[in-house]
Amino acid sequence: MRSPNATAALRTRARARMVERLRQHGIKDEKVLAALNLVPRHLFVEEALASRAYEDTALPLGYQQTISQPFIVARMAEILRSGRELGKTLEVGAGCGYQAAVLSHLCSDVYAVERIRGLLDRARENLRQLRLPNVRLKYTDGMLGLPEAAPFDTIIVAAASADGVPQALKDQLAPGGRALVPVGDRQQSLILVERQGGVFKETRLDAVRFVPLLAGTE
């Protein structure tokens, strides 16, 4: 049986290998890569799946949800950071809290919302271990955004909207802000929204696969 120190060292090496794979697969933003290297992903997955925490794959969380593939977390952050800082950020779909933890190292403030109470409780417990002072969690319908904390410099959505980018999220973008939203049903793409005054420019990017963005809470 390995000692706790030996296990921690193995996980540190596994995380470094994961980051190197992301670099080889095209992630160039070193600040994004450093953020993923700082976050212990094994804390955010089921204990039975901890040995797979540093594989580049989505893993089940229960509630028909998944923890996002590390490449997707890195890719979305890299797109949003291109030529700018993320600033005050809204994350829709906090899940287990992993992406919020990564964003905490890239943003001035992270507001993460989740519609499933059980997942929000898990995210809160996971994040408590890391003592991240700039992350706030809220139980609410993510399709509505978080108007009481708006406007946001950045909005990142971790579920796919079948009917396009929700207007509420566009309205909560600050001037010059960016949102990245998976859109579609069977065929999904990342849509980058850039607010230029009262005009919203939408650009279709990578093909992706996310769980659906649903209204309401449970």
Side-chain angles (χ1 to χ4, degrees):
M1 186 173 179
R2 294 191 188 98
S3 70
N5 286 345
T7 299
L10 283 172
R11 286 170 170 164
T12 297
R13 289 196 292 273
R15 189 156 62 249
R17 286 195 298 270
M18 177 192 78
V19 169
E20 185 54 37
R21 286 194 301 271
L22 295 178
R23 186 180 284 112
Q24 292 171 2
H25 291 162
I27 302 300
K28 296 180 175 63
D29 188 325
E30 289 296 329
K31 192 168 181 180
V32 169
L33 292 168
L36 271 87
N37 199 38
L38 286 169
V39 177
R41 191 172 186 249
H42 64 273
L43 295 181
F44 294 87
V45 303
E46 298 284 355
E47 190 173 348
L49 296 172
S51 64
R52 300 184 59 196
Y54 297 107
E55 295 177 8
D56 188 25
T57 187
L59 295 171
L61 292 174
Y63 305 95
Q64 298 181 304
Q65 305 295 306
T66 60
I67 180 174
S68 291
Q69 176 189 4
F71 178 82
I72 292 295
V73 174
R75 174 67 176 146
M76 292 178 78
E78 183 173 66
I79 290 168
L80 287 164
R81 265 180 49 80
S82 180
R84 65 194 281 271
E85 296 299 323
L86 296 184
K88 181 181 173 183
T89 298
L90 172 66
E91 181 199 15
V92 175
C96 62
Y98 174 68
Q99 184 166 254
V102 173
L103 290 170
S104 76
H105 299 287
L106 300 169
C107 306
S108 57
D109 293 283
V110 181
Y111 293 79
V113 300
E114 175 55 56
R115 63 179 292 274
I116 300 173
R117 170 69 76 180
L119 272 183
L120 185 80
D121 291 343
R122 189 181 304 174
R124 185 169 281 118
E125 185 59 32
N126 291 339
L127 291 165
R128 187 177 290 124
Q129 301 176 69
L130 301 182
R131 295 184 173 89
L132 302 172
N134 62 337
V135 177
R136 299 167 180 82
L137 297 174
K138 180 74 181 285
Y139 174 58
T140 189
D141 180 351
M143 292 188 78
L144 304 178
L146 194 61
E148 63 265 35
F152 298 98
D153 303 302
T154 301
I155 297 176
I156 186 167
V157 180
S161 174
D163 301 320
V165 179
Q167 187 62 44
L169 299 184
K170 291 182 181 181
D171 291 343
Q172 290 171 41
L173 268 183
R178 289 180 183 167
L180 195 56
V181 185
V183 169
D185 186 6
R186 293 185 180 180
Q187 293 185 314
Q188 300 173 3
S189 301
L190 290 178
I191 301 296
L192 176 65
V193 181
E194 298 172 277
R195 182 168 191 169
Q196 300 160 346
V199 177
F200 297 91
K201 176 187 175 186
E202 296 191 12
T203 305
R204 186 176 299 273
L205 301 173
D206 311 14
V208 289
R209 191 66 189 164
F210 280 84
V211 296
L213 180 65
L214 301 176
T217 57
E218 60 181 73

